[in-house]
Amino acid sequence: MDETRKEGKKEFEPRFTSELFAWGESLMGVLIAFVIIFTFVVRLFGVDGMSMYPTLEDRSIMLVSNLGYHPEKGDIVVLRKDGFYSDQPIVKRVIATGGDTVDIDPVTGDVSEPYIAEKIDTLTRMGDLSYPQTIPEGCVFVMGDNRNNSTDSRDSRLGIVDERCILGHVLRVVFPFSEFGSVE
Protein backbone atom coordinates (compact mmCIF):
# COMPACT_ATOMS: atom_id res chain seq x y z
CA MET A 1 0.00 0.00 0.00
CA ASP A 2 2.93 2.35 0.64
CA GLU A 3 4.09 1.88 -2.94
CA THR A 4 0.67 2.89 -4.27
CA ARG A 5 0.72 6.10 -2.27
CA LYS A 6 4.25 6.88 -3.44
CA GLU A 7 3.33 6.24 -7.07
CA GLY A 8 0.18 8.38 -6.77
CA LYS A 9 2.22 11.16 -5.22
CA LYS A 10 4.84 10.95 -7.98
CA GLU A 11 2.14 11.26 -10.65
CA PHE A 12 0.54 14.20 -8.84
CA GLU A 13 3.72 16.30 -8.42
CA PRO A 14 4.76 16.52 -12.11
CA ARG A 15 1.19 17.25 -13.24
CA PHE A 16 0.79 19.97 -10.61
CA THR A 17 4.16 21.48 -11.52
CA SER A 18 3.38 21.53 -15.26
CA GLU A 19 -0.04 23.17 -14.66
CA LEU A 20 1.57 25.76 -12.41
CA PHE A 21 4.20 26.42 -15.08
CA ALA A 22 1.49 26.82 -17.76
CA TRP A 23 -0.36 29.35 -15.58
CA GLY A 24 2.92 31.21 -15.00
CA GLU A 25 3.62 31.33 -18.74
CA SER A 26 0.13 32.68 -19.45
CA LEU A 27 0.41 35.31 -16.74
CA MET A 28 3.83 36.37 -18.04
CA GLY A 29 2.45 36.71 -21.59
CA VAL A 30 -0.40 38.90 -20.36
CA LEU A 31 1.98 41.08 -18.35
CA ILE A 32 4.33 41.54 -21.33
CA ALA A 33 1.40 42.49 -23.60
CA PHE A 34 0.13 44.90 -20.94
CA VAL A 35 3.55 46.59 -20.63
CA ILE A 36 3.94 46.90 -24.41
CA ILE A 37 0.45 48.38 -24.87
CA PHE A 38 0.82 50.88 -22.00
CA THR A 39 4.34 51.86 -23.11
CA PHE A 40 3.91 52.28 -26.86
CA VAL A 41 0.17 52.59 -27.60
CA VAL A 42 -1.76 54.22 -24.72
CA ARG A 43 -1.06 55.79 -21.34
CA LEU A 44 -3.14 56.72 -18.33
CA PHE A 45 -3.03 60.34 -17.13
CA GLY A 46 -4.86 62.02 -14.30
CA VAL A 47 -6.45 65.46 -14.33
CA ASP A 48 -5.05 67.83 -11.71
CA GLY A 49 -7.31 70.84 -11.20
CA MET A 50 -10.45 72.36 -12.66
CA SER A 51 -9.09 74.02 -15.82
CA MET A 52 -10.98 71.59 -18.09
CA TYR A 53 -14.28 71.68 -16.18
CA PRO A 54 -17.06 70.84 -17.17
CA THR A 55 -15.54 68.47 -19.77
CA LEU A 56 -13.09 66.86 -17.34
CA GLU A 57 -13.21 67.01 -13.57
CA ASP A 58 -10.36 67.13 -11.07
CA ARG A 59 -8.92 63.64 -10.44
CA SER A 60 -10.46 62.11 -13.56
CA ILE A 61 -8.26 59.48 -15.19
CA MET A 62 -7.96 59.47 -18.99
CA LEU A 63 -6.71 57.05 -21.60
CA VAL A 64 -4.30 58.93 -23.89
CA SER A 65 -2.59 57.93 -27.15
CA ASN A 66 -0.19 59.58 -29.57
CA LEU A 67 -0.01 56.72 -32.04
CA GLY A 68 -0.29 58.33 -35.49
CA TYR A 69 -1.71 61.49 -33.93
CA HIS A 70 -1.79 64.92 -35.58
CA PRO A 71 -3.49 67.73 -33.59
CA GLU A 72 -6.80 69.13 -34.78
CA LYS A 73 -8.97 71.97 -33.50
CA GLY A 74 -11.20 70.81 -30.65
CA ASP A 75 -8.97 67.90 -29.56
CA ILE A 76 -8.18 67.52 -25.88
CA VAL A 77 -4.48 66.88 -25.44
CA VAL A 78 -1.96 66.15 -22.71
CA LEU A 79 1.24 68.14 -23.10
CA ARG A 80 4.41 68.92 -21.23
CA LYS A 81 6.46 72.05 -21.83
CA ASP A 82 9.88 72.49 -20.24
CA GLY A 83 9.81 75.04 -17.46
CA PHE A 84 6.01 75.27 -17.27
CA TYR A 85 3.98 73.85 -14.36
CA SER A 86 7.08 72.21 -12.84
CA ASP A 87 7.46 70.17 -16.05
CA GLN A 88 4.31 68.20 -15.17
CA PRO A 89 1.84 67.12 -17.88
CA ILE A 90 -1.20 69.36 -18.33
CA VAL A 91 -4.53 68.81 -20.10
CA LYS A 92 -5.87 71.45 -22.51
CA ARG A 93 -8.03 71.82 -25.61
CA VAL A 94 -6.51 72.67 -29.01
CA ILE A 95 -8.07 75.95 -30.12
CA ALA A 96 -5.95 76.57 -33.21
CA THR A 97 -3.31 74.75 -35.24
CA GLY A 98 -0.57 75.94 -37.60
CA GLY A 99 -1.79 78.64 -39.99
CA ASP A 100 -4.92 79.48 -37.95
CA THR A 101 -5.48 82.89 -36.40
CA VAL A 102 -6.74 83.22 -32.83
CA ASP A 103 -8.63 86.37 -31.96
CA ILE A 104 -10.15 86.80 -28.52
CA ASP A 105 -12.68 89.61 -28.36
CA PRO A 106 -11.38 92.02 -25.67
CA VAL A 107 -14.90 93.28 -24.86
CA THR A 108 -16.95 90.07 -24.69
CA GLY A 109 -14.19 87.48 -24.16
CA ASP A 110 -15.57 85.37 -27.03
CA VAL A 111 -13.45 82.71 -28.67
CA SER A 112 -16.52 81.11 -30.29
CA GLU A 113 -16.55 77.55 -29.00
CA PRO A 114 -19.39 75.42 -27.66
CA TYR A 115 -17.53 73.59 -24.87
CA ILE A 116 -16.47 76.39 -22.53
CA ALA A 117 -17.78 76.77 -18.99
CA GLU A 118 -18.13 80.54 -19.32
CA LYS A 119 -16.83 83.49 -21.29
CA ILE A 120 -13.43 84.88 -20.48
CA ASP A 121 -13.32 87.53 -17.77
CA THR A 122 -11.70 90.21 -19.94
CA LEU A 123 -10.50 92.25 -16.97
CA THR A 124 -8.38 89.52 -15.38
CA ARG A 125 -8.00 86.51 -17.71
CA MET A 126 -7.02 87.82 -21.17
CA GLY A 127 -3.39 86.90 -20.55
CA ASP A 128 -0.33 88.81 -21.59
CA LEU A 129 -0.42 88.07 -25.33
CA SER A 130 -1.84 90.46 -27.89
CA TYR A 131 -4.47 89.42 -30.42
CA PRO A 132 -4.96 88.38 -33.13
CA GLN A 133 -2.24 85.68 -33.03
CA THR A 134 -1.36 83.64 -36.12
CA ILE A 135 -0.17 80.17 -35.11
CA PRO A 136 3.07 79.03 -36.78
CA GLU A 137 3.13 75.68 -38.60
CA GLY A 138 3.97 72.81 -36.25
CA CYS A 139 2.45 74.63 -33.26
CA VAL A 140 -0.90 74.81 -31.45
CA PHE A 141 -2.77 77.31 -29.29
CA VAL A 142 -4.39 75.58 -26.30
CA MET A 143 -6.88 76.67 -23.66
CA GLY A 144 -8.71 75.08 -20.75
CA ASP A 145 -12.49 74.78 -21.07
CA ASN A 146 -12.86 76.58 -17.72
CA ARG A 147 -11.41 79.77 -19.21
CA ASN A 148 -11.46 81.81 -16.00
CA ASN A 149 -9.63 79.09 -14.06
CA SER A 150 -7.00 78.03 -16.59
CA THR A 151 -3.42 79.01 -17.26
CA ASP A 152 -3.00 78.29 -20.96
CA SER A 153 -1.67 79.73 -24.23
CA ARG A 154 -2.97 83.17 -23.27
CA ASP A 155 -0.12 83.28 -20.75
CA SER A 156 3.34 83.79 -22.27
CA ARG A 157 4.84 81.23 -19.82
CA LEU A 158 3.06 78.54 -21.86
CA GLY A 159 2.29 80.54 -24.99
CA ILE A 160 1.97 78.92 -28.38
CA VAL A 161 3.01 75.27 -27.98
CA ASP A 162 5.23 73.23 -30.29
CA GLU A 163 3.39 70.06 -31.39
CA ARG A 164 6.37 68.00 -30.16
CA CYS A 165 5.34 68.91 -26.59
CA ILE A 166 2.07 66.99 -27.03
CA LEU A 167 2.22 63.62 -25.27
CA GLY A 168 -1.06 62.47 -26.84
CA HIS A 169 -4.75 63.14 -27.24
CA VAL A 170 -7.44 62.00 -24.84
CA LEU A 171 -9.33 58.95 -26.12
CA ARG A 172 -11.72 58.54 -23.20
CA VAL A 173 -12.24 58.99 -19.51
CA VAL A 174 -11.80 55.72 -17.60
CA PHE A 175 -12.39 57.00 -14.05
CA PRO A 176 -14.66 57.90 -12.38
CA PHE A 177 -16.74 55.10 -13.82
CA SER A 178 -19.82 57.34 -13.91
CA GLU A 179 -18.01 59.51 -16.49
CA PHE A 180 -16.57 56.56 -18.49
CA GLY A 181 -16.55 57.23 -22.22
CA SER A 182 -15.24 59.47 -24.95
CA VAL A 183 -14.75 63.19 -24.45
CA GLU A 184 -16.04 65.96 -26.66
Side-chain angles (χ1 to χ4, degrees):
M1 190 156 180
D2 276 339
E3 283 185 33
T4 310
R5 282 187 186 166
K6 287 181 183 177
E7 286 178 17
K9 194 174 186 180
K10 286 181 184 177
E11 287 178 22
F12 177 73
E13 285 178 4
R15 191 172 120 202
F16 176 75
T17 305
S18 70
E19 285 182 22
L20 189 59
F21 183 74
W23 274 97
E25 274 186 323
S26 297
L27 183 59
M28 187 61 79
V30 168
L31 286 174
I32 289 171
F34 192 74
V35 167
I36 289 171
I37 288 169
F38 279 91
T39 301
F40 299 109
V41 181
V42 295
R43 294 181 185 175
L44 293 173
F45 283 97
V47 176
D48 182 19
M50 297 298 290
S51 73
M52 286 300 294
Y53 181 81
T55 308
L56 297 170
E57 295 188 19
D58 187 30
R59 302 192 197 301
S60 294
I61 298 176
M62 310 158 300
L63 194 60
V64 176
S65 177
N66 70 348
L67 195 62
Y69 176 67
H70 183 75
E72 294 181 19
K73 283 190 267 187
D75 288 351
I76 298 175
V77 297
V78 175
L79 61 99
R80 179 181 301 137
K81 186 172 181 181
D82 290 339
F84 183 76
Y85 197 63
S86 303
D87 296 336
Q88 295 298 311
I90 59 171
V91 183
K92 301 295 176 192
R93 186 177 297 274
V94 175
I95 302 304
T97 59
D100 292 338
T101 299
V102 175
D103 194 10
I104 300 174
D105 187 313
V107 176
T108 65
D110 282 333
V111 187
S112 303
E113 296 143 316
Y115 29 71
I116 61 172
E118 57 191 357
K119 291 185 180 193
I120 297 169
D121 178 350
T122 57
L123 295 176
T124 61
R125 299 301 301 172
M126 283 297 286
D128 56 357
L129 297 180
S130 58
Y131 299 97
Q133 285 278 331
T134 300
I135 311 307
E137 290 299 326
C139 294
V140 295
F141 189 94
V142 296
M143 295 176 81
D145 288 357
N146 189 357
R147 301 294 159 79
N148 293 320
N149 190 20
S150 176
T151 303
D152 46 41
S153 287
R154 295 171 289 170
D155 187 319
S156 61
R157 293 175 295 168
L158 179 61
I160 296 170
V161 179
D162 189 305
E163 289 180 3
R164 293 175 290 188
C165 294
I166 296 175
L167 302 175
H169 72 290
V170 176
L171 299 173
R172 61 187 66 251
V173 172
V174 295
F175 185 83
F177 299 119
S178 62
E179 300 293 323
F180 183 85
S182 61
V183 293
E184 299 296 321

